[in-house]
Structure formats: structure tokens, C-alpha cells
Amino acid sequence: MLDPKTLEEFGAKMSALFANSPAKDIEKNAKAMMGGLFAKLDLVTREEFDVQAQVLARTREKLQALEARVDALEKARSGQ
């Protein structure tokens, strides 16, 4: 088995090597280009999506409560 400490050292060396290589510049440029493309597509962030999902869940709960209330009122009215 490989020693976890050896793997960490290897990972650190590879990260340092990668940080000093042209690949890092390519990665930065690609991220900037993709960010610009995504901005044009009018996408939402995961955080915004999660907030809207929570709002929708609360709205569904309120709707179900209102539907139950209307059903109860209709039953009470038809029972008179």
C-alpha cells in the first residue's frame, strides 16, 4: 500500500508544478470564457435554484392547506 503522507507530498508537488505551468493560464482563460458564455445563456446559480425550490415547496404546502380548508368549508356548507 502507498503511504498517505507520500501521496500528499506527491499531490503537493504536482499542484506546485501545475501552478507554474501554462496549463494554469489555459484554465483561467477557459473559466473566463465559459463564465461569459454562461452569463449570456441567462443561467441561475445553484444557490438561486435552491432558494426558489424552497419557495416553491412552501407555496405547495400553503396551497394544500388552502385546498383542505376549501374542501372542509364546502362540506360544511353542503351539510346545512
Side-chain angles (χ1 to χ4, degrees):
M1 294 278 306
L2 292 173
D3 181 27
K5 192 172 188 175
T6 305
L7 289 175
E8 288 178 22
E9 290 174 5
F10 179 73
K13 287 179 182 179
M14 291 302 292
S15 294
L17 180 64
F18 182 70
N20 295 327
S21 73
K24 190 68 172 174
D25 291 334
I26 293 170
E27 180 185 2
K28 286 180 187 176
N29 290 338
K31 283 185 178 181
M33 182 179 71
M34 296 301 289
L37 177 65
F38 290 150
K40 289 179 184 177
L41 292 176
D42 196 28
L43 301 174
V44 298
T45 64
R46 182 66 193 193
E47 182 180 333
E48 292 171 322
F49 178 83
D50 290 341
V51 167
Q52 289 302 315
Q54 291 172 355
V55 169
L56 179 58
R58 285 193 307 267
T59 302
R60 284 183 177 153
E61 290 172 4
K62 288 180 181 179
L63 177 60
Q64 289 172 347
L66 287 172
E67 286 175 339
R69 187 174 173 191
V70 167
D71 287 342
L73 290 172
E74 286 177 346
K75 287 178 184 177
R77 184 175 181 204
S78 64
Q80 288 180 347

